[in-house]
Amino acid sequence: MTGYPDHRNGDERARRGVAWYVVPVVAACFMSIVSGTEPAACAPVRHDARGVASPAVMADVPPDWSQHGIASWYGTRVQKGRATASGQTFDPDALTAAHPRLPLGTRLRVHSRRTGRSVVVTVNDRGPYYGHRIIDLSAEAARRLGILSAGATTVDIEPAHEEDEVASAPR
């Protein structure tokens, strides 16, 4: 409170503003849970050690699940040997990836829209934590996709099938 007449009820107005935002969101989540379709906005949220909110990890991956967006790669020689979220040591020469929500150990087929190449990777880490990227690939996976020099590109990801090759030519 600063003593100015228009600042007297600042806290009260702020609380009312929050109520106008929170009440509809809670009501929408409740209605979607009751109807059986829970949107991502209502899913439980985890907080890491820094207090940054991240979406909950999926229990399993439906066979028809897919995702489209920006992929980048990580894993310079400096990071080699560091522990990943799965407990494995990071190897930039392995075909691995980091995804924020998929269960660790999930095999994914990543297809680059720019190069037309595909590669099968295993999720063994969490990330990416930069921008609106959906997956971080190891340096070897990025090399096989042909995106190592680009740094980031648009990709389609889907669960890998047993018959998928480790790397394939353009489809």
Side-chain angles (χ1 to χ4, degrees):
M1 189 157 156
T2 60
Y4 294 104
D6 59 341
H7 289 202
R8 269 184 257 158
N9 296 323
D11 292 336
E12 184 180 326
R13 281 190 214 136
R15 273 186 255 120
R16 272 189 282 157
V18 170
W20 281 107
Y21 171 75
V22 172
V23 171
V25 171
V26 171
C29 287
F30 177 74
M31 289 176 6
S32 63
I33 290 170
V34 170
S35 69
T37 59
E38 182 179 0
C42 302
V45 176
R46 298 179 321 144
H47 295 277
D48 65 7
R50 299 170 301 194
V52 176
S54 62
V57 175
M58 297 168 61
D60 59 347
V61 183
D64 60 341
W65 176 89
S66 66
Q67 195 173 15
H68 315 283
I70 303 294
S72 57
W73 65 273
Y74 75 115
T76 59
R77 298 287 173 208
V78 174
Q79 294 166 322
K80 186 174 183 172
R82 291 189 179 180
T84 62
S86 67
Q88 300 171 346
T89 53
F90 178 75
D91 181 7
D93 298 323
L95 295 175
T96 57
H99 193 278
R101 296 193 61 212
L102 293 174
L104 297 175
T106 301
R107 292 183 63 233
L108 297 173
R109 186 172 155 285
V110 181
H111 174 76
S112 170
R113 290 185 177 182
R114 186 173 61 84
T115 65
R117 296 182 188 174
S118 295
V119 66
V120 175
V121 297
T122 303
V123 176
N124 74 340
D125 208 355
R126 293 290 171 223
Y129 300 111
Y130 182 78
H132 296 286
R133 297 177 183 172
I134 61 170
I135 194 166
D136 265 343
L137 302 169
S138 65
E140 179 63 17
R143 187 187 67 74
R144 292 198 187 184
L145 281 179
I147 65 168
L148 199 57
S149 61
T153 192
T154 305
V155 296
D156 301 321
I157 58 176
E158 60 188 26
H161 303 291
E162 292 299 322
E163 64 272 3
D164 284 342
E165 296 179 30
V166 172
S168 65
R171 25 178 182 175

